[in-house]
Amino acid sequence: MDRPLLPRTIIGYVIRNSGVHQLGLATLSAAVFGLSAVPLELQRRIVNDAIKSGATRTILWLAAAYAGVAVLEQSFKLALNVYRGWVSEGAVRTLRQTIHDASNPQDGQAADTKDSAEVGTHTAMVVAEAEPIGGFVGMAISEPLLQAGILVSVIGYMAYLEPWTLVLCAVFLLPQMLFVPPMQQAINRRAGARITTLREVSGGIVDTGAPAEAGIEHVFTLNMGIYKIKYSMNMAMNLMYSLTVAVALGAGGWLAVSGRIEVGTVVAVVSGLGKLNDPWGDLVSWAREWSVDSVKYRLFADAVNGKGLATA
C-alpha cells in the first residue's frame, strides 16, 4: 500500500514531523526573549542610583531583581533546550526508521540484489546525514523566533533610551547583511558536493572494502574550503561588533562627560550591543544550518522518494 513520501522541503518535514511541538517551542522562545531587555534596564538603574544617590537599599533590591530575572530566564532556556533535544532526537529516529524501511522493501526484493552504490548511500544516510537533519528540526522555528525576538527587544529598548543608538545598530548589522549571504552560498555549494562525495566513498567501501583515495582527498579539500569561509565570516562579524562597541564607548563617553546622557545609559547601550552580538551570530548560524541542512535534506528525500518508499 502506498503511503506519503517525504516532503520536498525541510520546513515541510519539520511541520509534518513536529508541528504541535513547534508551537510549544515557540511559546518558550517568546518567554525567553520577553525577558531579554529587562537586565539592561536593571543595570542602568543600579549604576545611576549608585552614582547619584548612593541608595544602598534600592541598589540591593535592584540587584536581587536582576538575579531573579537571570534565574527565570535561564530556567526557560533550560526547558527550551531540553525540549528541542527531545524533538530533534525523535526526528533523527524517524529518519533512520525511514532508511530502515528503504533498506528492507516489502515487495520481495532480496537484500543481496542491491548494488554497492545503493548500500553505500543508505549507510551514509543512516550514519552521517540523519543526525544533522533531525537536529535542525528542534530549532527550525524556535531558534529564529528566539533570536529575532531578542534583537527586536534590545534594539527597541536602546532606541527608547537614546534614538541615536539606532545608528549604531545599523552600523553593526547592515554591512553583515551584505557579506554574509554570498559567503553562505559558497559554503552551501561545498556542503552539497561533500554529501555526494561521501556517498560515493561509502559505496566504494561496500564494493571494494576500502575508500577511494581520490574521494577522501576531495572531501578534505571541500571541508577545508568550508572552514576557511566559515571562520573568515565569523572573524568579520566579530570585528564589526568590536568596532561598533568602540564607537559606542567613544560617543557615549563624550556625551556622558558633557552631561547630555547618564553614565548608566552608556553602560546599558554597551551591554545592549553585547546582547545584539550573540543573537545576531546565532541567527546567522541558524541560517547557515538551514541552508546546509536544506541541501542535505533534499538529497536525503530524493534518495528515499526515488524508491517510492514511505516515511516512518
Coordinates of all heavy atoms in Angstrom, one line a residue, residues 115-197:
D115 N 22.9 -3.0 -5.4 CA 24.3 -2.7 -5.8 C 25.0 -1.9 -4.7 O 24.4 -1.4 -3.8 CB 24.3 -1.9 -7.1 CG 23.6 -0.6 -7.1 OD1 23.5 0.0 -6.0 OD2 23.0 -0.2 -8.1
S116 N 26.3 -1.9 -4.8 CA 27.1 -1.3 -3.7 C 26.8 0.2 -3.6 O 26.9 0.7 -2.5 CB 28.6 -1.5 -4.0 OG 28.9 -0.9 -5.3
A117 N 26.5 0.9 -4.7 CA 26.2 2.3 -4.6 C 25.0 2.6 -3.7 O 24.9 3.5 -2.9 CB 26.0 2.9 -6.0
E118 N 23.9 1.7 -3.9 CA 22.7 1.9 -3.1 C 23.0 1.6 -1.6 O 22.5 2.4 -0.8 CB 21.6 1.0 -3.7 CG 20.3 1.1 -2.9 CD 19.3 0.1 -3.5 OE1 19.4 -0.3 -4.7 OE2 18.3 -0.2 -2.8
V119 N 23.7 0.5 -1.4 CA 24.0 0.2 0.0 C 24.9 1.3 0.7 O 24.7 1.7 1.8 CB 24.7 -1.2 0.1 CG1 25.2 -1.5 1.5 CG2 23.8 -2.3 -0.4
G120 N 25.9 1.8 -0.1 CA 26.7 2.9 0.4 C 25.9 4.1 0.7 O 26.2 4.8 1.7
T121 N 25.0 4.5 -0.2 CA 24.2 5.6 0.0 C 23.3 5.5 1.3 O 23.3 6.4 2.1 CB 23.2 5.9 -1.1 OG1 24.0 6.2 -2.3 CG2 22.2 7.0 -0.9
H122 N 22.7 4.3 1.5 CA 21.9 4.1 2.7 C 22.8 4.2 4.0 O 22.4 4.7 5.0 CB 21.2 2.8 2.6 CG 20.1 2.8 1.7 ND1 19.3 1.7 1.3 CD2 19.5 3.8 0.9 CE1 18.4 2.0 0.5 NE2 18.5 3.3 0.2
T123 N 24.0 3.6 3.9 CA 24.9 3.6 5.0 C 25.2 5.1 5.4 O 25.2 5.5 6.6 CB 26.2 2.9 4.7 OG1 25.9 1.5 4.4 CG2 27.2 2.9 5.9
A124 N 25.6 5.9 4.4 CA 25.9 7.3 4.7 C 24.7 8.1 5.2 O 24.9 8.9 6.1 CB 26.4 8.0 3.4
M125 N 23.5 7.8 4.7 CA 22.4 8.5 5.2 C 22.1 8.1 6.7 O 21.7 9.0 7.4 CB 21.2 8.1 4.3 CG 21.2 8.6 2.9 SD 20.0 7.9 1.8 CE 18.5 8.6 2.4
V126 N 22.2 6.9 7.0 CA 21.9 6.5 8.4 C 22.9 7.0 9.4 O 22.6 7.6 10.5 CB 21.8 4.9 8.5 CG1 21.7 4.5 10.0 CG2 20.6 4.4 7.8
V127 N 24.2 6.9 9.0 CA 25.3 7.2 9.9 C 25.5 8.7 10.0 O 25.7 9.3 11.1 CB 26.6 6.5 9.5 CG1 27.8 7.0 10.3 CG2 26.4 5.0 9.6
A128 N 25.6 9.4 8.8 CA 26.1 10.8 8.8 C 25.0 11.9 8.5 O 25.1 13.0 8.9 CB 27.2 10.9 7.8
E129 N 23.9 11.5 7.8 CA 23.0 12.5 7.3 C 21.8 12.7 8.2 O 21.3 13.9 8.2 CB 22.6 12.2 5.8 CG 23.8 12.2 4.9 CD 23.4 11.8 3.5 OE1 22.2 12.0 3.1 OE2 24.2 11.3 2.7
A130 N 21.3 11.7 8.8 CA 20.0 11.8 9.5 C 20.2 12.7 10.8 O 19.3 13.4 11.2 CB 19.5 10.4 10.0
E131 N 21.4 12.6 11.4 CA 21.7 13.4 12.6 C 21.5 14.9 12.5 O 20.8 15.5 13.2 CB 23.1 13.0 13.2 CG 23.3 13.5 14.6 CD 22.8 12.5 15.6 OE1 22.7 11.3 15.3 OE2 22.5 13.0 16.7
P132 N 22.3 15.5 11.5 CA 22.1 17.0 11.4 C 20.7 17.4 10.9 O 20.2 18.5 11.3 CB 23.2 17.4 10.4 CG 23.5 16.1 9.6 CD 23.3 15.0 10.6
I133 N 20.1 16.6 10.1 CA 18.8 17.0 9.6 C 17.8 16.9 10.8 O 17.0 17.9 11.0 CB 18.3 16.0 8.5 CG1 19.2 16.2 7.2 CG2 16.8 16.3 8.1 CD1 18.9 15.2 6.1
G134 N 17.8 15.8 11.5 CA 17.0 15.7 12.7 C 17.3 16.8 13.7 O 16.4 17.4 14.4
G135 N 18.6 17.1 13.9 CA 18.9 18.2 14.8 C 18.4 19.5 14.5 O 18.0 20.3 15.4
F136 N 18.2 19.8 13.2 CA 17.7 21.1 12.7 C 16.2 21.1 13.1 O 15.7 22.2 13.3 CB 17.9 21.2 11.2 CG 17.3 22.5 10.7 CD1 18.0 23.7 10.9 CD2 16.1 22.5 10.0 CE1 17.5 24.9 10.4 CE2 15.6 23.7 9.5 CZ 16.3 24.9 9.7
V137 N 15.5 20.0 13.1 CA 14.0 20.0 13.3 C 13.7 20.7 14.7 O 12.8 21.5 14.8 CB 13.5 18.6 13.3 CG1 12.0 18.5 13.8 CG2 13.6 18.0 11.9
G138 N 14.5 20.4 15.7 CA 14.2 21.0 17.0 C 14.4 22.5 17.1 O 13.8 23.2 17.9
M139 N 15.2 23.1 16.2 CA 15.5 24.5 16.2 C 14.9 25.3 15.0 O 15.1 26.5 14.9 CB 17.0 24.8 16.3 CG 17.7 24.2 15.1 SD 19.5 24.4 15.2 CE 19.7 26.0 14.7
A140 N 14.2 24.6 14.1 CA 13.8 25.1 12.9 C 13.0 26.4 13.0 O 13.2 27.4 12.3 CB 13.0 24.1 12.1
I141 N 12.0 26.4 13.9 CA 11.2 27.6 14.1 C 11.5 28.4 15.4 O 11.5 29.6 15.4 CB 9.7 27.2 14.1 CG1 9.3 26.6 12.8 CG2 8.8 28.3 14.5 CD1 7.9 26.0 12.7
S142 N 11.8 27.6 16.5 CA 12.0 28.3 17.8 C 13.3 29.2 17.7 O 13.3 30.2 18.4 CB 12.1 27.3 18.9 OG 13.2 26.4 18.7
E143 N 14.3 28.7 17.0 CA 15.6 29.5 17.1 C 15.5 30.8 16.4 O 15.9 31.8 17.0 CB 16.7 28.6 16.4 CG 18.1 29.3 16.4 CD 18.7 29.4 17.8 OE1 18.1 28.9 18.8 OE2 19.8 29.9 17.9
P144 N 15.0 30.9 15.2 CA 14.9 32.3 14.6 C 13.9 33.2 15.3 O 14.1 34.4 15.4 CB 14.4 32.0 13.1 CG 13.8 30.7 13.2 CD 14.6 29.9 14.2
L145 N 12.8 32.5 15.9 CA 11.9 33.3 16.7 C 12.6 33.9 17.9 O 12.4 35.1 18.2 CB 10.7 32.5 17.0 CG 9.6 33.1 17.9 CD1 9.0 34.3 17.2 CD2 8.6 32.1 18.4
L146 N 13.3 33.1 18.6 CA 14.0 33.5 19.8 C 15.0 34.6 19.5 O 15.0 35.7 20.1 CB 14.7 32.3 20.4 CG 15.7 32.6 21.6 CD1 14.9 33.2 22.8 CD2 16.4 31.3 22.0
Q147 N 15.9 34.4 18.5 CA 17.0 35.3 18.3 C 16.4 36.6 17.7 O 16.9 37.7 18.0 CB 18.0 34.7 17.4 CG 18.6 33.4 17.9 CD 19.1 33.5 19.3 OE1 19.5 34.5 19.8 NE2 19.2 32.3 20.0
A148 N 15.5 36.5 16.7 CA 14.9 37.7 16.2 C 14.1 38.5 17.3 O 14.2 39.8 17.3 CB 14.0 37.4 15.0
G149 N 13.5 37.8 18.2 CA 12.8 38.5 19.3 C 13.7 39.2 20.2 O 13.4 40.3 20.6
I150 N 14.9 38.6 20.5 CA 15.9 39.3 21.3 C 16.4 40.5 20.6 O 16.5 41.6 21.2 CB 17.0 38.3 21.6 CG1 16.5 37.2 22.6 CG2 18.2 39.1 22.3 CD1 17.6 36.2 22.8
L151 N 16.7 40.4 19.3 CA 17.2 41.6 18.5 C 16.1 42.7 18.6 O 16.5 43.9 18.8 CB 17.4 41.2 17.1 CG 18.7 40.3 16.8 CD1 18.7 39.9 15.4 CD2 19.9 41.1 17.2
V152 N 14.9 42.4 18.3 CA 13.8 43.4 18.3 C 13.7 44.1 19.7 O 13.6 45.3 19.8 CB 12.5 42.9 17.8 CG1 11.4 43.9 18.0 CG2 12.6 42.5 16.3
S153 N 13.7 43.2 20.7 CA 13.5 43.8 22.1 C 14.7 44.7 22.5 O 14.4 45.8 23.0 CB 13.4 42.6 23.1 OG 12.3 41.8 22.8
V154 N 15.9 44.2 22.2 CA 17.0 45.0 22.6 C 17.2 46.3 21.8 O 17.4 47.4 22.4 CB 18.3 44.2 22.5 CG1 19.6 45.0 22.8 CG2 18.3 43.0 23.5
I155 N 17.0 46.2 20.5 CA 17.1 47.4 19.7 C 16.0 48.4 20.1 O 16.2 49.6 20.1 CB 17.0 47.0 18.2 CG1 18.2 46.3 17.7 CG2 16.8 48.3 17.3 CD1 18.2 45.8 16.3
G156 N 14.8 47.9 20.3 CA 13.7 48.8 20.7 C 14.0 49.4 22.1 O 13.7 50.6 22.2
Y157 N 14.6 48.7 23.0 CA 14.9 49.3 24.3 C 16.0 50.4 24.1 O 15.9 51.5 24.7 CB 15.4 48.2 25.2 CG 16.0 48.7 26.5 CD1 15.1 49.3 27.5 CD2 17.3 48.8 26.8 CE1 15.6 49.8 28.7 CE2 17.8 49.3 28.0 CZ 17.0 49.8 28.9 OH 17.5 50.3 30.1
M158 N 17.0 50.1 23.3 CA 18.1 51.0 23.1 C 17.6 52.3 22.4 O 18.0 53.4 22.8 CB 19.2 50.4 22.3 CG 20.0 49.3 23.1 SD 21.1 48.3 22.0 CE 22.2 49.6 21.4
A159 N 16.7 52.1 21.5 CA 16.1 53.3 20.8 C 15.3 54.1 21.8 O 15.2 55.3 21.7 CB 15.3 52.9 19.6
Y160 N 14.6 53.4 22.7 CA 13.8 54.1 23.7 C 14.7 55.0 24.6 O 14.4 56.1 24.9 CB 13.0 53.1 24.5 CG 12.4 53.7 25.8 CD1 11.3 54.5 25.7 CD2 13.0 53.4 27.0 CE1 10.7 55.0 26.9 CE2 12.4 53.9 28.2 CZ 11.3 54.7 28.1 OH 10.7 55.2 29.2
L161 N 15.9 54.4 25.0 CA 16.8 55.2 25.8 C 17.4 56.4 25.1 O 17.4 57.5 25.5 CB 17.9 54.3 26.3 CG 17.6 53.3 27.5 CD1 18.9 52.6 27.8 CD2 17.1 54.1 28.7
E162 N 18.0 56.1 23.9 CA 18.6 57.1 23.1 C 18.4 56.8 21.6 O 19.0 55.8 21.1 CB 20.2 57.1 23.4 CG 20.5 57.6 24.8 CD 20.2 59.1 24.9 OE1 20.2 59.8 23.9 OE2 20.1 59.5 26.1
P163 N 17.7 57.6 20.9 CA 17.4 57.3 19.5 C 18.7 57.2 18.6 O 18.6 56.4 17.6 CB 16.5 58.5 19.0 CG 15.9 58.9 20.3 CD 16.9 58.7 21.4
W164 N 19.7 57.9 19.0 CA 21.0 57.8 18.2 C 21.6 56.4 18.2 O 22.4 56.1 17.3 CB 22.0 58.8 18.7 CG 22.5 58.6 20.1 CD1 22.0 59.2 21.2 CD2 23.6 57.8 20.5 NE1 22.7 58.8 22.3 CE2 23.7 58.0 21.9 CE3 24.5 57.0 19.9 CZ2 24.6 57.3 22.7 CZ3 25.5 56.3 20.6 CH2 25.5 56.5 22.0
T165 N 21.2 55.5 19.1 CA 21.7 54.2 19.1 C 21.2 53.4 17.9 O 21.8 52.3 17.6 CB 21.4 53.4 20.4 OG1 19.9 53.4 20.6 CG2 22.0 54.1 21.6
L166 N 20.2 53.8 17.3 CA 19.7 53.1 16.0 C 20.8 53.2 15.0 O 21.0 52.3 14.2 CB 18.4 53.7 15.5 CG 17.2 53.5 16.3 CD1 16.0 54.2 15.8 CD2 16.9 52.0 16.4
V167 N 21.6 54.3 15.0 CA 22.7 54.4 14.0 C 23.8 53.3 14.3 O 24.3 52.7 13.4 CB 23.3 55.8 14.1 CG1 24.5 55.9 13.2 CG2 22.3 56.9 13.7
L168 N 24.0 53.1 15.6 CA 25.0 52.1 16.0 C 24.5 50.7 15.5 O 25.3 49.9 15.0 CB 25.2 52.1 17.5 CG 26.0 53.2 18.1 CD1 26.0 53.1 19.7 CD2 27.4 53.3 17.6
C169 N 23.2 50.4 15.7 CA 22.7 49.2 15.3 C 22.8 49.0 13.8 O 23.1 47.9 13.3 CB 21.2 49.0 15.7 SG 20.9 49.1 17.5
A170 N 22.6 50.1 13.0 CA 22.7 50.0 11.6 C 24.1 49.7 11.2 O 24.4 48.9 10.3 CB 22.2 51.3 10.9
V171 N 25.1 50.4 11.8 CA 26.5 50.2 11.5 C 26.9 48.8 11.8 O 27.7 48.2 11.1 CB 27.3 51.2 12.4 CG1 28.8 50.9 12.3 CG2 27.1 52.6 11.9
F172 N 26.3 48.2 12.9 CA 26.7 46.8 13.3 C 26.0 45.8 12.3 O 26.7 44.8 11.9 CB 26.2 46.6 14.7 CG 26.3 45.2 15.1 CD1 27.5 44.6 15.2 CD2 25.1 44.5 15.5 CE1 27.6 43.2 15.7 CE2 25.2 43.1 15.9 CZ 26.5 42.5 16.0
L173 N 24.8 46.0 11.9 CA 24.1 45.0 11.2 C 24.1 45.1 9.7 O 24.3 44.0 9.0 CB 22.6 45.0 11.6 CG 22.3 44.6 13.1 CD1 20.8 44.8 13.4 CD2 22.7 43.2 13.4
L174 N 24.0 46.3 9.1 CA 23.9 46.4 7.7 C 25.1 45.9 6.9 O 24.9 45.1 5.9 CB 23.6 47.9 7.3 CG 22.2 48.4 7.7 CD1 22.1 49.9 7.3 CD2 21.1 47.6 7.1
P175 N 26.3 46.2 7.2 CA 27.4 45.6 6.5 C 27.4 44.1 6.4 O 27.8 43.4 5.4 CB 28.7 46.1 7.2 CG 28.2 47.4 7.9 CD 26.8 47.1 8.3
Q176 N 27.0 43.5 7.6 CA 27.0 42.0 7.6 C 25.9 41.4 6.7 O 26.1 40.3 6.2 CB 26.7 41.5 9.1 CG 27.8 42.0 10.0 CD 27.6 41.4 11.4 OE1 27.5 40.2 11.6 NE2 27.6 42.3 12.4
M177 N 24.8 42.2 6.5 CA 23.8 41.7 5.5 C 24.3 41.7 4.1 O 23.7 41.0 3.2 CB 22.6 42.6 5.6 CG 21.9 42.5 7.0 SD 20.4 43.6 7.1 CE 19.9 43.3 8.8
L178 N 25.4 42.4 3.8 CA 26.0 42.4 2.5 C 27.0 41.2 2.3 O 27.0 40.6 1.2 CB 26.7 43.7 2.2 CG 25.8 45.0 2.3 CD1 26.7 46.2 2.0 CD2 24.7 44.9 1.2
F179 N 27.8 40.9 3.3 CA 28.9 39.9 3.0 C 28.5 38.5 3.5 O 29.0 37.5 3.0 CB 30.2 40.3 3.6 CG 30.3 40.4 5.1 CD1 30.4 39.2 5.9 CD2 30.4 41.6 5.8 CE1 30.5 39.3 7.3 CE2 30.5 41.7 7.2 CZ 30.5 40.5 7.9
V180 N 27.5 38.4 4.4 CA 27.2 37.1 4.9 C 26.5 36.2 3.9 O 26.9 35.0 3.7 CB 26.3 37.2 6.2 CG1 25.7 35.8 6.6 CG2 27.1 37.7 7.4
P181 N 25.4 36.7 3.1 CA 24.8 35.8 2.2 C 25.6 35.2 1.1 O 25.6 33.9 0.9 CB 23.7 36.7 1.6 CG 23.4 37.7 2.6 CD 24.7 38.0 3.3
P182 N 26.5 35.9 0.4 CA 27.3 35.3 -0.6 C 28.3 34.3 0.0 O 28.6 33.2 -0.6 CB 28.1 36.4 -1.3 CG 28.0 37.6 -0.3 CD 26.7 37.4 0.4
M183 N 28.8 34.6 1.2 CA 29.8 33.6 1.8 C 29.0 32.3 2.2 O 29.6 31.2 2.1 CB 30.4 34.3 3.0 CG 31.3 35.4 2.7 SD 32.1 36.2 4.2 CE 33.4 35.1 4.5
Q184 N 27.8 32.5 2.6 CA 27.0 31.3 3.0 C 26.7 30.5 1.8 O 26.7 29.2 1.8 CB 25.7 31.7 3.7 CG 24.9 30.6 4.2 CD 25.6 29.7 5.1 OE1 26.2 30.1 6.1 NE2 25.7 28.4 4.8
Q185 N 26.4 31.1 0.6 CA 26.1 30.4 -0.6 C 27.3 29.5 -1.0 O 27.2 28.4 -1.5 CB 25.7 31.3 -1.7 CG 24.3 31.9 -1.6 CD 23.3 30.9 -1.6 OE1 23.3 29.9 -2.3 NE2 22.3 31.0 -0.6
A186 N 28.5 30.1 -0.8 CA 29.8 29.4 -1.1 C 29.9 28.1 -0.2 O 30.3 27.1 -0.7 CB 31.0 30.3 -0.9
I187 N 29.5 28.3 1.1 CA 29.5 27.1 2.0 C 28.5 26.1 1.5 O 28.8 24.9 1.5 CB 29.2 27.6 3.4 CG1 30.4 28.4 4.0 CG2 29.0 26.4 4.3 CD1 30.1 29.0 5.3
N188 N 27.3 26.5 1.1 CA 26.3 25.6 0.7 C 26.7 24.7 -0.5 O 26.5 23.5 -0.6 CB 25.0 26.3 0.3 CG 24.4 27.0 1.5 OD1 24.7 26.8 2.6 ND2 23.4 27.9 1.2
R189 N 27.4 25.3 -1.5 CA 27.8 24.6 -2.6 C 28.8 23.5 -2.2 O 28.7 22.4 -2.8 CB 28.5 25.5 -3.7 CG 27.5 26.5 -4.3 CD 28.1 27.2 -5.5 NE 29.2 28.1 -5.1 CZ 29.0 29.3 -4.8 NH1 27.8 29.9 -4.8 NH2 30.0 30.1 -4.4
R190 N 29.7 23.8 -1.4 CA 30.7 22.8 -0.9 C 30.0 21.7 -0.1 O 30.4 20.6 -0.1 CB 31.8 23.5 -0.1 CG 32.7 24.3 -1.0 CD 33.6 25.3 -0.2 NE 34.5 26.0 -1.1 CZ 34.2 27.0 -1.9 NH1 32.9 27.4 -2.0 NH2 35.1 27.6 -2.7
A191 N 29.0 22.1 0.7 CA 28.3 21.1 1.6 C 27.6 20.1 0.7 O 27.6 18.9 1.0 CB 27.4 21.8 2.5
G192 N 26.9 20.6 -0.4 CA 26.2 19.7 -1.3 C 27.2 18.7 -2.0 O 26.9 17.5 -2.1
A193 N 28.3 19.2 -2.4 CA 29.3 18.4 -3.1 C 29.9 17.4 -2.1 O 30.2 16.2 -2.4 CB 30.4 19.3 -3.7
R194 N 30.1 17.8 -0.8 CA 30.6 16.9 0.2 C 29.7 15.7 0.4 O 30.2 14.6 0.6 CB 30.8 17.7 1.5 CG 31.3 16.9 2.7 CD 31.5 17.8 3.9 NE 32.0 17.0 5.0 CZ 31.2 16.3 5.9 NH1 29.9 16.3 5.7 NH2 31.7 15.7 6.9
I195 N 28.4 16.0 0.5 CA 27.4 14.9 0.7 C 27.5 13.8 -0.4 O 27.6 12.6 -0.2 CB 26.0 15.4 0.8 CG1 25.9 16.3 2.1 CG2 25.0 14.3 0.9 CD1 24.6 17.0 2.2
T196 N 27.5 14.3 -1.6 CA 27.6 13.5 -2.8 C 28.8 12.6 -2.8 O 28.8 11.4 -3.1 CB 27.5 14.3 -4.1 OG1 26.3 15.0 -4.1 CG2 27.5 13.4 -5.3
T197 N 30.0 13.3 -2.5 CA 31.2 12.6 -2.5 C 31.3 11.5 -1.4 O 31.8 10.4 -1.6 CB 32.4 13.6 -2.2 OG1 32.3 14.6 -3.3 CG2 33.7 12.9 -2.3

